[in-house]
Structures are given as structure tokens and as C-alpha cells.
Amino acid sequence: MSEQTNQTTYDYIICGAGTAGCLLANRLSADPTKRVLLIEAGGNDDYAWIHIPVGYLRCIGNPRTDWMFRTDAEPGLNGRSLRYPRGKVLGGCSSINGMIYMRGQARDYDGWGAGDGFGPNPGWSWADCLPHFMKHEDFHKGADAFHAAPGFDPSGERQGGEWRVERQRLHWPILDAFAQAAQQAGLPATDDFNCGSNEGVGYFEVNQRKGLRWNATKGFLRPIENRENLQLWTGAHVSRVLLDPGPSNGSWEGRPHAVGVEVLPRGNRGDENRGAPLQVRARIEVILCAGAIGTPQLLQLSGIGPAQALQSLGIAVKHALPGVGENLQDHLQLRSVYAVEGTQTLNTRSRSLWRKAQMAIEYALRRSGPLSMAPSQLGAFTRSDPGQPHPNIEYHVQPLSLDAFGEPLHAFDAFTASVCHLNPASRGRVSLRSADSTEAPGIQPNYLSTAEDRRIAADALRTTRRIVAQPALAAYRPREVKPGVQYQTDDELSRLAGDIGTTIFHPVGTAKMGPASDPQAVVDARLRVHGVTGLRIADASVMPTITSGNTASPTLMIAERAAHWIAEQARYA
């Protein structure tokens, strides 16, 4: 893998060296006859806090590693604007996220495969997708029917790959008590959330290796750094996709054809003194892996998107696709904070210099202790009310509390039980504010914009109270600090959800997959952009509906599928 050179023509150009882009670069450059360029706007992942798991607190809200986006003022959040973290660094969001390994539920993928009324998306059922999760998995327990690990199975076929999945390296008494309380409230215990139904309570498994964050850079780029046919550019901002209008009658059928990208170079240290734009050509394909915010922004900057909106900004429409930027979905977390007695949490352990030193020594010697912990250790999936046909809410439970990520921890001992609606009906959008590619786009998630979402938010907060009221937690005398026991009715709780809700960093869906008959579809079932040749998308933006859980691992699976189809197309070209 080489650094930037003067070469300007490649077989494949991958825009975004995040979770999906790193895997794609690995897979596509495995063919030594193909030259691959991987472009990342952020810098290298050499910031120490990326790799120390608890360092997410220093990476989110840090311009060195975060795009520092904000949402527009949200009516459903009572006029609040939220921080909207996205990784701006090699490894992308896998360098700043919660490290939770979560696939979702089998019904998510069966729903993708069936489509949403305009026709199916062949190849996307749970049975189709499971092997592509397993292709890159390195599971700490070894291989079984649902998991894979490097080595050989009895049939002699290699299983598993580069994406390390380990158990967490510490437990907290308050979290053990919450798990017991959840079981007393009717949730089953589970030690595996990734077999197709994630109902139950247990400790999350995480993307770590020996107490260090395992990001996409380590998993997919470091092992191939000696490949001469792969070039990596960091500090390089892709401003648009270059499109040839195509012949009026020929192999492209008059459709625009992606022939490369325009790049605005800059220094890795963050200066904005950009040089002249550089045009880089792709012989075969341009693949967008810029995520659910960056990908629709880049499409629109390139003249692909809703025609009227583009024209209003002076952008020439190269191909009208009204679904670009629409269908934004995200998990809104409702963070209930409970002060506790008789046990320590990270809040007070982190305030003492002596205890901080103890934590640092424990981590240095054993790679364990609080510095090794993911943002959320304990998880639970359940129903917001007994009438729900499947688990529709997820808990992230933490032995700490704070007003928002990036803010200081509270001065009292507490735990946070954060709950989100897994399948929100609300839909938002990502749209350009200007034709300047360096200006952040408008982000409008439209949280809690449906009566169903507001009702489930109220029910979810009640479910939290029901769990906390169980005998297993009584010894700690939990006291509800946020939102507050004075709020009881549906109207009060749904309004409170707007006051306390924050993103859990799972935006998806803004370049949704679907057949050409779907007016909102942006890519087909093989992730090719409708009406544009030579252009494919492989990131969370293609999800038609959000998965029932954390979205990093599904994004890797999407990239794995894309790599398979790209290689297959190359073989038969």
C-alpha cells in the first residue's frame, strides 16, 4: 500500500476509508491485476485515544476524529439541535464508535429481501446475508452454525476472517444487578445476541483485541499494507463524482457514466489551504463508502439527486434521482439516569487522581479495567409492550452518567439505562445547504414525527422504570434523576422523550436499495446506482430500513456483498 503519487488512473476508486471502505479496499486489491485507490478526507488513525476503548469520550466531538456535524433544529425534540458524530479519520466510525458487535434480527434482512411493495431485492434475506457476516468474523468462542473464526472446519474450507469479536473484559456490580432485574421483569438471559433473534439481556460482545479497539484499519488495511496495487490517500476531500454524459446510442444507453472523482487535497494536520482540484479516473467503477451523510451529499454535489433542489443551488442535474438524501433513519436513545448508593461507578472513580492512576496501571499491565470498557457494556432487547410481535426496543446500560457524550461525567454515582426504538417510523433527509462541498449538509432526522414513535417512546421509558423497580436493584436505592418521576402520562413522557433524546449514532437509509419501480430507490439489489453506470454504493446509506441493533457490523456485511458482486462482474466482463 503506497501513499499519494502522481498517478491519476485506477481500476477502482473507493471514496471513504471508513468501516466499509477499508473492507472493500482489502477485497478488491486481492486481485493483483486491478489497481485500487482508497481516498479518505480525515487523517491517519494514530491518535492514542482511538485505540484505548474508553477514549471514545475524547474522540466524539473532537475535530481531529469527528466531522462535527449537527442536525437542524428538530420539532420532535422540542426545537433542539443535536451533535451528530461521524468518523473523520482512517477507519471512519469504526475508530470512534461503541465497538459493539451486533447484526440485528433475521427479520430485518428478510424484510430487505422481500422489498417494500415495489418488488424484491434478491440476495438480501437473512440466509443470504449470514455467510457474508461470517466471512470476515473472528469470533472469540470459535466457529459454530452462526459464527466463524480463522482456521479450517471439518470440510476443509477456511472459516472466518479479520473482524475480531471478543467478550468484554470487566463487569460492574451495578450492571450485574440490572441484568438480574431485567430477568425478574421477564427478559431471558442470553450470551449471544447474533443468532437471528436478539431478545434477552446480557453483556455485549465487542470489536476489541486484547483490550484495544479493533477498527477497520487494523482489520482490513494493516494486513495488506505491502500490496503495490493499493494506494491510500488521506487528507483528501472528494468534492464530486465525474460523470460522462454517455453516448446517445451505445453501450451506456445514453445514461451518465462515472469516470472518476474530483479531489481537493489538503494537509493531514487539518489546515484548509487546499491546492488545485485533482481529477482521478476510474477504468471500471467508482464506489461510494462515505456513509449515510457523506454519500448523499456527494451524489447531490455531483448532480445526482432531486432535480429541483439541485437546480436551486446552481448545480447542473446530471441524473434526477428524487430518493437521494431521503429515507434517513436513526435510533433515538432515551437516556434515563439513576443515582445509586453503596457502589462505585465510573463517575466517582474517574474523579480521583489516585483512582485514575490505578485505572491506568491496571490497563497498562493487564489491558483490563475501566479504560478497556466500551461505551455500553450491558445490553437488552425486549418489547415495549406485550402486544409487540418482536423485540422492538434496545437497551445500552452504562455504569456512568453525563449530560451528553463529550460532556463531563456527573459528580455522583449513577448508571444510565439508555433505550431506543429499533424500528422507527419517522423518516428524515440529508440535503445540501450550498454547492460548496466543504460545507456541512443539512441533517433533518425528523425524530418522533409519528404518533407511533411517540407512543413507543413513552412505553420504553415505562419499561425502564419497571426493570429498575425489581428487587435485584433495591440494595442500591436507585433514584431517577432523569427524566424524573413527576412525568407519568403518555403526553408527558413523549414530550420528555423530545427533551432528553439523543442520537445513538446509527444513521442509515439515505440512498436506499430497491427496484427501479420504487421512486425513492437509489441503488438496485447489487448496489449499483439506478440510471448511472460505473457507480456503486456500499455503506449504511443503502439500507431500506434500519437494522434492529447497532449498524457497524451490517455495514461490513454490505461491503462484503458489494465486493463479491464487483469481483464477479470483473470475471465476466
Side-chain angles (χ1 to χ4, degrees):
M1 186 167 63
S2 57
E3 293 298 326
Q4 185 165 347
T5 70
N6 292 327
Q7 182 172 339
T8 57
T9 303
Y10 298 83
D11 294 293
Y12 301 111
I13 297 175
I14 302 168
C15 302
T19 305
C22 288
L23 184 146
L24 266 175
N26 180 297
R27 301 297 188 251
L28 297 184
S29 64
D31 180 350
T33 69
K34 299 295 188 294
R35 295 196 60 82
V36 180
L37 173 62
L38 177 62
I39 306 175
E40 169 57 40
N44 290 317
D45 63 334
D46 52 3
Y47 183 43
W49 286 111
I50 289 173
H51 308 288
I52 300 171
V54 80
Y56 73 93
L57 291 168
R58 293 178 178 266
C59 292
I60 290 174
N62 181 344
R64 179 171 181 167
T65 50
D66 184 356
W67 279 95
M68 305 292 289
F69 292 142
R70 294 196 69 93
T71 70
D72 293 352
E74 282 282 293
L77 301 186
N78 305 323
R80 290 188 300 130
S81 169
L82 300 182
R83 288 182 177 182
Y84 218 66
R86 297 283 86 199
K88 187 180 183 181
V89 64
L90 205 60
C93 289
S94 76
S95 293
I96 70 170
N97 69 4
M99 295 163 280
I100 292 171
Y101 183 71
M102 184 64 60
R103 296 171 179 170
Q105 298 172 7
R107 66 182 180 86
D108 300 329
Y109 305 98
D110 290 339
W112 291 6
D116 51 6
F118 294 94
N121 294 304
W124 287 99
S125 71
W126 170 250
D128 292 320
C129 293
L130 181 58
H132 294 273
F133 280 110
M134 295 170 68
K135 184 174 180 180
H136 53 257
E137 185 184 24
D138 178 6
F139 190 59
H140 65 97
K141 293 182 182 177
D144 59 25
F146 292 99
H147 295 286
F152 291 88
D153 67 11
S155 69
E157 295 183 0
R158 184 180 185 276
Q159 289 195 353
E162 306 92 340
W163 196 234
R164 182 63 179 168
V165 181
E166 293 188 349
R167 63 170 56 91
Q168 303 220 32
R169 300 174 73 83
L170 76 166
H171 286 247
W172 294 76
I174 191 65
L175 298 187
D176 293 340
F178 188 98
Q180 293 169 16
Q183 293 172 59
Q184 291 169 348
L187 279 69
T190 184
D191 62 357
D192 193 342
F193 287 118
N194 289 296
C195 297
S197 173
N198 49 20
E199 187 164 17
V201 59
Y203 279 86
F204 289 123
E205 287 162 321
V206 292
N207 296 122
Q208 293 182 9
R209 184 181 288 278
K210 298 180 180 179
L212 292 169
R213 176 188 291 274
W214 193 249
N215 66 355
T217 312
K218 294 175 184 173
F220 301 104
L221 288 188
R222 298 285 181 252
I224 60 169
E225 58 188 1
N226 293 324
R227 286 184 185 170
E228 294 183 357
N229 63 324
L230 173 63
Q231 187 168 125
L232 169 67
W233 292 359
T234 56
H237 179 91
V238 178
S239 56
R240 63 187 175 107
V241 178
L242 302 173
L243 298 169
D244 187 308
S248 58
N249 53 9
S251 60
W252 298 338
E253 302 173 355
R255 293 179 292 174
H257 180 73
V259 296
V261 297
E262 182 179 82
V263 181
L264 304 181
R266 67 168 176 81
N268 288 345
R269 298 179 65 86
D271 66 272
E272 298 297 328
N273 297 318
R274 302 182 185 276
L278 174 67
Q279 293 193 347
V280 194
R281 299 281 165 166
R283 294 188 185 94
I284 301 176
E285 276 193 11
V286 174
I287 306 120
L288 304 186
C289 299
I293 307 303
T295 284
Q297 180 187 22
L298 188 51
L299 287 170
Q300 293 175 54
L301 288 165
S302 307
I304 303 171
Q308 187 173 356
L310 299 184
Q311 290 168 342
S312 70
L313 295 172
I315 297 173
V317 178
K318 303 296 180 65
H319 182 62
L321 268 183
V324 172
E326 300 295 319
N327 193 48
L328 174 62
Q329 299 158 61
D330 190 15
H331 289 143
L332 181 73
Q333 63 174 338
L334 308 177
R335 300 172 62 251
S336 294
V337 173
Y338 288 85
V340 293
E341 301 175 14
T343 188
Q344 283 193 342
T345 65
L346 191 62
N347 287 11
T348 54
R349 287 192 69 178
S350 65
R351 296 182 77 83
S352 161
L353 290 176
W354 169 241
R355 291 192 179 115
K356 283 182 179 179
Q358 286 179 314
M359 290 189 287
I361 292 169
E362 182 179 6
Y363 186 74
L365 294 178
R366 297 197 296 269
R367 289 289 184 265
S368 63
L371 270 68
S372 72
M373 69 184 227
S376 299
Q377 295 79 53
L378 188 74
F381 292 81
T382 189
R383 293 162 167 80
S384 60
D385 69 77
Q388 293 294 328
H390 44 70
N392 69 325
I393 57 175
E394 177 185 9
Y395 281 91
H396 294 76
V397 191
Q398 306 148 345
L400 55 85
S401 65
L402 67 174
D403 290 333
F405 284 106
E407 299 294 326
L409 297 176
H410 292 146
F412 51 87
D413 281 309
F415 69 86
T416 299
S418 176
V419 62
C420 70
H421 179 193
L422 290 170
N423 311 117
S426 299
R427 296 291 184 270
R429 65 182 50 85
V430 173
S431 55
L432 296 183
R433 289 194 174 104
S434 80
D436 182 352
S437 68
T438 65
E439 183 173 340
I443 303 171
Q444 300 168 300
N446 286 338
Y447 296 119
L448 301 175
S449 60
T450 71
E452 177 188 2
D453 286 357
R454 293 191 292 273
R455 176 180 61 81
I456 290 175
D459 288 343
L461 289 169
R462 290 194 183 97
T463 302
T464 306
R465 289 172 173 172
R466 182 166 59 86
I467 293 171
V468 175
Q470 299 301 315
L473 279 165
Y476 300 105
R477 303 189 181 201
R479 176 175 56 86
E480 184 176 320
V481 175
K482 186 178 179 179
V485 295
Q486 65 270 35
Y487 305 105
Q488 294 290 333
T489 69
D490 281 356
D491 286 346
E492 288 172 340
L493 289 175
S494 62
R495 180 170 180 80
L496 256 293
D499 285 338
I500 68 174
T502 61
T503 177
I504 206 166
F505 324 132
H506 297 165
V508 307
T510 50
K512 68 170 285 194
M513 177 193 343
S517 57
D518 181 351
Q520 292 294 301
V522 176
V523 298
D524 66 13
R526 293 204 167 191
L527 310 183
R528 298 167 295 200
V529 174
H530 285 302
V532 181
T533 57
L535 184 60
R536 201 180 303 248
I537 301 173
D539 59 31
S541 68
V542 305
M543 296 185 189
T545 53
I546 196 167
T547 54
S548 299
N550 310 71
T551 52
S553 297
T555 299
L556 279 178
M557 181 274 295
I558 289 168
E560 197 80 79
R561 303 238 63 189
H564 171 79
W565 285 319
I566 293 168
E568 182 180 71
Q569 181 174 303
R571 283 197 300 271
Y572 295 106

